[in-house]
């Protein structure tokens, strides 16, 4: 079989990214334009500003991606694009750009679920083998599934309210740390100690998660301290929050490993960059003799290479979309 080259577009939030992926497992070229510095001024992503910046950047990102390799769009087998979930305006920019490329160059169009892309990011460095447990931890999602085969998911549990990434961002904001909150909380937690008694979210035998109560407790501690003119130890509070938030994820994963007897775990999503999470999951997998797939930092955050990797099985199945494909901002992993 001849090599398959997929040009992938990702614009679901505040990163504009385009990549060329070979056979679903080799990133030939990757270009990412980040908007972090701009959104940091507002303490989080401003949707309208994000979509406007995607419009400004996307052509330059394509040019940069093509400059990094010896492949032209004419040599590409298909165009892949994130079309769900994400910020609607941001999704539409990438989607319309990809549809335009597919039309002009007469290439098949592949629509990719952003969450599934995060899982397939692991395939760029270590070929996924099935069955496996897939743990998605990101700004908008926290869920665990059984992946029986390519694109064959069985959802075990998900967040009942806030996602872990969203909670990290909101806790960081109330503590006065810059956006994005994940790296800020992790850095502060390394300095602090677990001294605050915080509630454990959904401390039961299901696979569901919840972070609204934990987040609210941190906010209440900060607000009460301000009212009483008491100085809090931000590093200790950050450490306490991270410990409880992530320990509950590890506990749920252990429950899944025991109950399913599956010996593979794929970590996916922006929060997978968290070293405390990765280290504790590695310890857990070693305990159960399970293999842990964990992406490199460049593939943890939003990037187009993961979209190209996730598009490859769809390409092999001729699962193509027409030019009426629309964006869906609220889709889940199995939607």
């Amino acid at each position: 079989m001849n090599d398959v080259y997929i040009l992938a577009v990702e614009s679901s939030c505040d990163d504009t990214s385009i990549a060329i992926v070979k056979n679903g497992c080799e990133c030939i070229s990757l270009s990412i334009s980040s908007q972090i510095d701009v959104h940091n001024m507002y303490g989080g992503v401003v949707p309208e500003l994000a979509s406007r910046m995607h419009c400004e950047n996307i052509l330059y990102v394509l040019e940069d991606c093509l400059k990094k390799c010896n492949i032209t769009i004419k040599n590409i087998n298909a165009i892949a694009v994130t079309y769900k979930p994400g910020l609607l305006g941001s999704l539409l920019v990438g989607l319309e750009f990809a549809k335009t490329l597919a039309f002009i160059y007469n290439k098949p169009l592949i629509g990719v679920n952003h969450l599934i892309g995060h899982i397939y990011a692991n395939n760029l460095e270590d070929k996924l083998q099935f069955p496996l447990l897939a743990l998605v931890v990101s700004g908008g999602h926290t869920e665990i599934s059984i992946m029986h085969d390519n694109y064959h998911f069985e959802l075990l549990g998900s967040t009942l309210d806030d996602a872990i990434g969203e909670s990290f961002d909101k806790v960081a904001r109330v503590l006065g740390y810059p956006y994005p909150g994940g790296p800020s909380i992790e850095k502060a937690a390394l300095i602090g100690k677990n001294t605050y008694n915080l509630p454990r979210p959904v401390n039961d035998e299901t696979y569901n998660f919840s972070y609204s109560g934990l987040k609210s407790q941190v906010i209440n501690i900060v607000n009460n301290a301000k009212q009483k003119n008491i100085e809090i130890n931000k590093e200790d509070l950050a450490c306490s929050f991270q410990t409880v938030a992530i320990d509950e994820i590890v506990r749920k994963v252990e429950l899944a490993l025991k109950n399913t007897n599956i010996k593979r775990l794929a970590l996916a999503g922006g929060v997978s960059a968290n070293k405390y999470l990765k280290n504790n999951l590695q310890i857990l997998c070693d305990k159960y003799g399970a293999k842990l797939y964990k992406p490199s930092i460049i593939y943890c955050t939003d990037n187009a290479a993961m979209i190209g990797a996730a598009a490859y099985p769809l390409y092999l199945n001729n699962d193509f979309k027409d030019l009426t494909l629309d964006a869906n901002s609220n889709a889940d992993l199995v939607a």
Side-chain angles (χ1 to χ4, degrees), residues 26-37:
E26 182 180 351
C27 181
I28 302 298
S29 179
L30 172 62
S31 181
I32 303 174
S33 177
S34 173
Q35 303 176 13
I36 285 180
D37 290 343

Side-chain angles (χ1 to χ4, degrees), residues 118 121 268-273 278 295-303 306:
H118 273 301
V271 184
S272 62
K278 286 192 289 188
S296 298
I297 294 295
I298 187 64
Y299 298 133
C300 288
T301 54
D302 295 347
N303 67 90
M306 69 184 195

Side-chain angles (χ1 to χ4, degrees), residues 157-211:
S158 61
T159 182
L160 302 174
D161 39 60
D162 296 343
I164 186 170
E166 178 188 0
S167 298
F168 266 83
D169 286 339
K170 290 181 177 177
V171 167
R173 186 184 305 173
V174 78
L175 291 177
Y177 294 126
Y179 171 85
S184 299
I185 292 292
E186 183 179 7
K187 184 178 180 180
L190 289 173
I191 302 171
K193 297 179 181 179
N194 182 13
T195 60
Y196 286 85
N197 185 21
L198 298 176
R200 298 210 168 258
V202 196
N203 190 15
D204 60 16
E205 298 303 303
T206 72
Y207 300 109
N208 294 322
F209 304 92
S210 170
Y211 289 101

